[in-house]
Amino acid sequence: MFICSAMAMESRRNLNREEVEDCILQMAQGDKDALARIYEMTHAAVYGFSLSILRNAQDAEDVLQETYLQLYHHAPAYRPNGNPMPYLFTIAKNFSLMKLRDRKKAQQMPEDDLLYGEDSTLPAEDRHLLNTLMQVLSEEERQIVMLHCVAGFKHREIGQVTGLPLSTVLSKYHRAIGKLRKQLEEGESSGAL
Amino acid sequence: MERYELELKIKRAVEHATPDVLEQILSRCGEARDTVFLTDEIRATPKRKPRSHLFLAAAAALVLVIGGAAGYGGYQQYFAVDSIVELDVNPSIELEVNRRERVLSAQALNPDAEAILDGMDLKNTDLQVAMNAIIGSMLKNGYINDLSNSVLITVENDDLARGSDLQQRLTEEVSAMLETSSVQGAVLSQTLDQNTGASELARQYGISEGKAALIQEVISLNPLSTAEELKDLSINELNLLLSYSNPQDAAQSGGTGESRSSLTSTGAASDKAYIGLESARQLAYEDAAAYGVQESGILGAEVSMDWEDGRMVYEVEFYAAGMEFDYEIDATTGQILSAEREGGEYEGSGQPPASLSGSAVSAEQALAIAFDHAGVSAGQAQVVKNELDEDDGVYRYEIEFYAADAEYEYEIDAATGAVLKSAGESHFQGQQGQSGAAVTGQEAQSIALAHAGVTAGEAGMIQVERDRDDGREIYEVEFEVRQGSAAGEYDYKIDAATGAILEFDRDTDD
């Protein structure tokens, strides 16, 4: 019981939005330490989100760089409103969509490949989880799951970034989690990893 | 696995998978930033010193040298200012130059410029050498970079012919310098005489005359802008506004379109800090697709840049499907700030319409459409919600109602009456303990398709799965329809014992 509640507390720990917004304001003065801080706090969330759109590790990494550079260069133009997350993630979303468009134009469709292959350095459990997530969920479901689990967004915020109404976000999230649990449990019982 | 356990595992997995690119990001930032300074700081810097004081003071020290130099014909001629050369990027520097093109004084007009001039002694150097040093320093300190590559050279000389000549040579030299660096520069240059009238503006805002003249030029093309808004912009931003201004704006406000200054431009202002004209155009087209607009049917498309409410925006205008579209898109984030449509079935300008008349849809009509789709009569239904909502300039009715133990949610387009989203959930308890499916997967699929009003041929990616939900056997049927009025992603839950539709969901978004 104790372990469960400790894990519950950890997973509920969200990004401190005030801290993130302060970093942006400092970045507007050219403070690169603030850039490093905001990066540390948010880069996994941004990466996960881009990955959910692009399903390609290299592309998501490119978008990761572009997003923070853009954030830094335009920090002076940011108007503080208490919640900087939709701003940051809208930048990431648009870079991701542009990358997707470029890929379509160049006729590259790597979607059938496993996201993380046998040669990846990721632990096996993580690899299996992420591969399953990418294959089993629809595009919207992937985005919603990433934003909720990794970025700690509330469902309403997810609606803001994805443009979906709150009720849709809620139902898709629960359906997605249900699909994932089912797929992972079936995989375990049949011995596959 | 508990839900929170799974959520935590997902979070950990992504954290392990995320690469660390902080070093690359920091190294691509450049050292100095062209930050926006408070105007109070700028105004504190005095713009001009009285010339006579400057030269007499310098003259006292140099009298011995100059007296012996027959070539200059006396120190008065040496110290006579012939031209003033101003260099603006974000740093703003003013050089006083004599007839022989030797620098008599170099003054910083803003704090960024002080950083550049710090440690440089440019007095008596050749103008070309001085320009070289200044441009070199700006490149090195990151004031001229990939994202912000525009330089403004201004020559002030009452003899316009000499001024223009100097302007041209300086432009060539600076362009050549930028070419050898890795930045593809854009050079704006102009010659001003006493009659340009930019000095008032310059004095008022504590900026160089050259920048003031440039701002006046931008205003003549974008008459709705004010100098107050534009004074803090970098030369690159002003150059973008100049390059991508909307010609209609100028014409509409009776602008003469005639330049007062002799502004010439080489190279192209960098827009790499923004999403780009093409991306802005695509974002607008995609949004308009909700009205049945296809790219092949778009006419007269124009993309321009403007400065609104303290940020750079793209304005995209075009005609399609009998309507005129007008979009404003944040140039940094790509967010659609405003969308306007005129003509067609619906007239909208981002404000709630006083009355929806003609072929636009009323609240009662929207309700009727939803009831019809659900196969429910008005008498059976209990309406929980029927509200007109606005999202990015698109109006839709959000409708929720109960009917015969089922709960329904709909979104109806207020302009066309199209069903954008539909969802239904049955609270019917059903008969527990009934095992063995009376309904086959194939039948479940047919039931779902029939409800959606499409044939198997029209649907793609059809998936049928057996599952248990709330202690009962069900089929989950999913498919998508690409084109036509029934387009969207569908999701059905069908009771495996009775074939009843327990839940259905349809999305028309991507």
Side-chain angles (χ1 to χ4, degrees), chain B residues 274-305:
Chain B
Y274 307 106
I275 64 175
L277 296 164
E278 255 328 288
S279 298
R281 188 197 298 262
Q282 286 304 319
L283 287 165
Y285 288 175
E286 275 166 20
D287 190 270
Y291 297 94
V293 170
Q294 294 185 325
E295 203 166 326
S296 52
I298 290 177
L299 306 166
E302 270 174 33
V303 188
S304 59
M305 287 185 95

Side-chain angles (χ1 to χ4, degrees), chain A residues 4 10 12 28 32 39 65-66 69-70 73-74 94 98 125-126 140 167 172-173 175 181 185, chain B residues 1 4 7 9 12 16 20-21 28 30 33 35 147 273-274 279 311 332-333 409 491 507 510:
Chain A
C4 288
E10 264 205 84
R12 295 286 173 261
K32 287 200 188 165
Y39 175 84
Q65 281 198 42
E66 296 303 320
L69 281 168
Q70 183 83 337
H73 286 133
H74 283 265
N94 282 305
M98 287 195 276
E125 190 190 0
D126 293 339
E140 274 175 343
S167 56
K172 282 194 184 257
Y173 178 74
R175 185 170 313 141
R181 281 165 73 185
E185 276 156 21
Chain B
M1 208 190 320
Y4 63 75
E7 288 173 351
K9 284 194 181 187
R12 290 280 171 262
H16 296 158
D20 188 2
V21 294
R28 284 171 68 184
R33 293 297 315 135
T35 42
L147 301 177
Y274 307 106
S279 298
R311 55 180 150 183
T332 309
T333 66
E409 271 177 57
D491 214 312
D507 270 0
D510 269 0

Side-chain angles (χ1 to χ4, degrees), chain A:
Chain A
M1 279 304 289
F2 174 87
I3 295 171
C4 288
S5 47
M7 282 172 80
M9 270 170 23
E10 264 205 84
S11 75
R12 295 286 173 261
R13 186 180 11 127
N14 290 327
L15 293 163
N16 183 331
R17 282 147 174 76
E18 266 181 45
E19 241 186 284
V20 171
E21 193 166 71
D22 284 339
C23 283
I24 299 183
L25 298 175
Q26 281 158 32
M27 273 160 49
Q29 315 279 329
D31 184 349
K32 287 200 188 165
D33 287 331
L35 172 58
R37 276 200 307 279
I38 206 178
Y39 175 84
E40 293 305 330
M41 286 192 275
T42 59
H43 71 301
V46 172
Y47 181 74
F49 179 62
S50 306
L51 204 58
S52 73
I53 296 175
L54 293 164
R55 290 201 284 180
N56 176 289
Q58 185 55 56
D59 285 347
E61 188 178 322
D62 290 342
V63 168
L64 192 61
Q65 281 198 42
E66 296 303 320
T67 299
Y68 286 99
L69 281 168
Q70 183 83 337
L71 186 68
Y72 182 70
H73 286 133
H74 283 265
Y78 173 74
R79 265 111 45 100
N81 63 1
N83 187 3
M85 302 314 275
Y87 180 74
L88 172 58
F89 279 78
T90 303
I91 295 177
K93 180 177 171 195
N94 282 305
F95 275 120
S96 301
L97 292 178
M98 287 195 276
K99 194 116 204 151
L100 206 58
R101 218 165 303 156
D102 290 344
R103 208 161 73 187
K104 278 190 185 152
K105 279 194 192 151
Q107 305 282 329
Q108 293 156 8
M109 296 289 205
E111 285 155 18
D112 289 337
D113 299 340
L114 276 184
L115 176 60
Y116 292 105
E118 291 289 309
D119 57 339
S120 156
T121 52
L122 265 189
E125 190 190 0
D126 293 339
R127 215 188 323 139
H128 179 59
L129 179 54
L130 293 177
N131 283 339
T132 305
L133 195 152
M134 293 297 157
Q135 286 186 321
V136 158
L137 301 183
S138 75
E139 183 180 331
E140 274 175 343
E141 288 168 346
R142 295 196 298 269
Q143 283 183 44
I144 292 172
V145 165
M146 282 297 178
L147 288 174
H148 186 70
C149 296
V150 188
F153 275 27
K154 304 209 177 17
H155 292 290
R156 190 175 311 273
E157 284 174 301
I158 296 177
Q160 260 180 294
V161 174
T162 57
L164 298 167
L166 176 60
S167 56
T168 306
V169 172
L170 281 164
S171 63
K172 282 194 184 257
Y173 178 74
H174 287 284
R175 185 170 313 141
I177 291 291
K179 276 190 195 174
L180 270 179
R181 281 165 73 185
K182 188 171 119 186
Q183 191 73 23
L184 292 168
E185 276 156 21
E186 271 179 15
E188 276 172 30
S189 61
S190 68
L193 236 190

Side-chain angles (χ1 to χ4, degrees), chain B residues 305-488:
Chain B
M305 287 185 95
D306 205 352
W307 186 264
E308 295 253 341
D309 282 338
R311 55 180 150 183
M312 201 59 113
V313 301
Y314 288 103
E315 286 174 2
V316 185
E317 291 173 19
F318 53 89
Y319 294 89
M323 294 181 273
E324 188 180 324
F325 290 84
D326 222 301
Y327 283 88
E328 226 174 73
I329 298 178
D330 185 313
T332 309
T333 66
Q335 186 192 358
I336 295 181
L337 300 169
S338 83
E340 289 178 19
R341 281 175 323 282
E342 267 178 50
E345 290 174 5
Y346 179 62
E347 292 248 346
S349 59
Q351 283 161 4
S355 65
L356 294 177
S357 60
S359 51
V361 174
S362 71
E364 294 79 62
Q365 287 172 319
L367 206 53
I369 291 168
F371 288 158
D372 189 53
H373 189 270
V376 152
S377 74
Q380 292 176 305
Q382 189 182 8
V383 179
V384 172
K385 173 174 158 183
N386 185 358
E387 277 175 42
L388 183 62
D389 210 24
E390 187 262 334
D391 211 17
D392 273 352
V394 177
Y395 287 95
R396 37 173 86 108
Y397 286 99
E398 284 180 0
I399 295 176
E400 285 174 28
F401 58 88
Y402 286 92
D405 277 337
E407 190 183 321
Y408 297 89
E409 271 177 57
Y410 277 85
E411 270 182 38
I412 310 281
D413 187 311
T416 64
V419 176
L420 297 172
K421 279 200 178 41
S422 58
E425 211 174 282
S426 163
H427 293 291
F428 176 59
Q429 287 308 304
Q431 287 150 358
Q432 306 278 0
Q434 223 180 28
S435 62
V439 174
T440 66
Q442 192 60 45
E443 286 168 46
Q445 178 179 314
S446 306
I447 291 167
L449 288 170
H451 185 266
V454 296
T455 65
E458 288 167 337
M461 314 237 327
I462 303 180
Q463 273 178 297
V464 183
E465 277 171 39
R466 276 285 289 275
D467 206 0
R468 279 187 79 83
D469 199 9
D470 286 336
R472 130 181 74 197
E473 297 280 325
I474 62 166
Y475 285 102
E476 215 174 301
V477 183
E478 286 173 88
F479 54 90
E480 62 178 56
V481 178
R482 283 269 157 86
Q483 290 156 338
S485 56

